Amino acid sequence: MPPRDVPRRARLRNALSATLVALACLLAPCGALAAWAAFGLADTGRYVSTMAPLAAHPDVRDAVADAVGDEVAGELDPGTAHGALGPFVRDAVRSFTRTEAFRVAWEAGHRAVHGAVLHALRDEAATRGPVTVDLAPVTERVRRRLAADRSPLAPRIPVEHTRVAVVPAAEVPGLRKGYHVLDAAAFWLPLATVVLAVAGIAVAACRRRALLATGLGTALGGALLALAVAVGRRLTLADLPDRVHRPAAAAVYDALTAALRTASWLLLALGLTVALATWLTRRPRRAPPAPTAGTPAPSPPRARA
């Protein structure tokens, strides 16, 4: 191979390596986001276990007490939800939110809603109408819990099959397509990230430099993912019309995105660890050996005439 082709080939390898590494670093946070949505939010057990501790959160209990109290007071005497009857009803509901029956109802309600939505997204042959939830199992669990606590209100709770719409029919097709895309991306994006990173390091003329760039790019992707979660939280809370319930919405957002924040910090730590280890294990350049006393010094080149 001619000597002039060696630098050119090295430049081509470095350009290809930089492209592959850049794509891998770009896909890393996207893969983490897709995996979080597909395996975290789309799993009923993980979702319910994530939302269960919020039943004891003070802001969430206050928001539930205000919403349910206003609804009950409005049904008992229309026009008094914010009058004399409203505060008493809200206090009663707020006391109920501190009981074990409320925690059972909270968990059962989230399980029922999540299961119904997930069934509509996964099953192509599901009903074309809105996604609805039957509240009878939730009411039954609450009544059984109150009966176990020997509450006199347990026999008075009616168990009726009331279906409540949780997702409008017009939004179901779009959500179903988005779910299938996320389900496929959760598998292929992490796999493509690993393949591109390994290929980019393998074809590089200087693999140590490519490994260092991969570590720094992964750390940058993790930092950008953490920034995106923080910005999404700010925008989500800013779009809420009711400022009173923003603390409760913030608690729910933080609970749902806890795994995503952990993934972003793991990407940041992994990238920095790889970059630091690559930099610390670099080989120092060797200086040319000094001429000894018995070795004649090289003669300077002769000037051409």
Side-chain angles (χ1 to χ4, degrees):
M1 181 181 295
R4 295 180 180 178
D5 293 340
V6 176
R8 182 180 179 181
R9 184 179 179 183
R11 287 195 299 269
L12 291 177
R13 291 176 60 185
N14 288 334
L16 179 59
S17 173
T19 303
L20 295 176
V21 168
L23 288 176
C25 296
L26 180 63
L27 292 180
C30 299
L33 181 61
W36 164 76
F39 301 116
L41 295 183
D43 185 87
T44 302
R46 294 191 184 97
Y47 174 79
V48 173
S49 63
T50 300
M51 299 298 293
L54 293 178
H57 197 282
D59 295 328
V60 175
R61 290 189 308 196
D62 291 342
V64 172
D66 292 340
V68 177
D70 292 344
E71 185 68 21
V72 173
E75 292 183 359
L76 293 177
D77 189 4
T80 63
H82 299 283
L85 189 59
F88 293 101
V89 176
R90 281 192 292 271
D91 290 341
V93 177
R94 188 173 288 107
S95 300
F96 173 72
T97 58
R98 294 181 174 87
T99 62
E100 182 65 23
F102 171 73
R103 287 189 284 272
V104 173
W106 175 270
E107 182 178 345
H110 279 284
R111 186 179 298 276
V113 172
H114 192 273
V117 173
L118 200 61
H119 174 70
L121 296 181
R122 288 178 175 175
D123 190 3
E124 295 290 343
T127 307
R128 299 297 178 182
V131 180
T132 59
V133 178
D134 187 7
L135 297 182
V138 179
T139 310
E140 177 63 26
R141 295 191 63 178
V142 176
R143 190 173 70 170
R144 281 185 297 173
R145 184 64 192 181
L146 292 177
D149 294 339
R150 298 180 179 179
S151 175
L153 298 177
R156 301 180 181 179
I157 298 179
V159 180
E160 299 178 355
H161 290 277
T162 304
R163 304 199 70 88
V164 179
V166 293
V167 178
E171 299 180 3
V172 174
L175 291 176
R176 184 177 292 135
K177 292 180 181 178
Y179 171 78
H180 289 307
V181 171
L182 283 176
D183 193 23
F187 174 77
W188 290 109
L189 283 183
L191 181 61
T193 300
V194 175
V195 171
L196 289 175
V198 172
I201 296 173
V203 303
C206 182
R207 295 178 180 176
R208 183 178 297 274
R209 187 178 301 173
L211 185 60
L212 178 63
T214 303
L216 293 177
T218 303
L220 179 61
L224 292 178
L225 182 59
L227 180 62
V229 173
V231 173
R233 183 181 189 273
R234 187 179 184 88
L235 295 178
T236 301
L237 297 181
D239 291 339
L240 292 178
D242 191 358
R243 296 184 177 181
V244 178
H245 295 160
R246 284 184 181 178
V252 174
Y253 184 91
D254 293 339
L256 291 177
T257 58
L260 189 58
R261 291 196 306 271
T262 303
S264 65
W265 289 112
L266 286 177
L267 287 177
L268 179 62
L270 177 63
L272 292 179
T273 301
V274 171
L276 182 61
T278 305
W279 183 75
L280 291 177
T281 56
R282 71 187 188 281
R283 296 178 180 179
R285 295 182 179 180
R286 295 181 179 181
T292 58
T295 304
S299 57
R302 297 180 180 178
R304 296 183 179 180

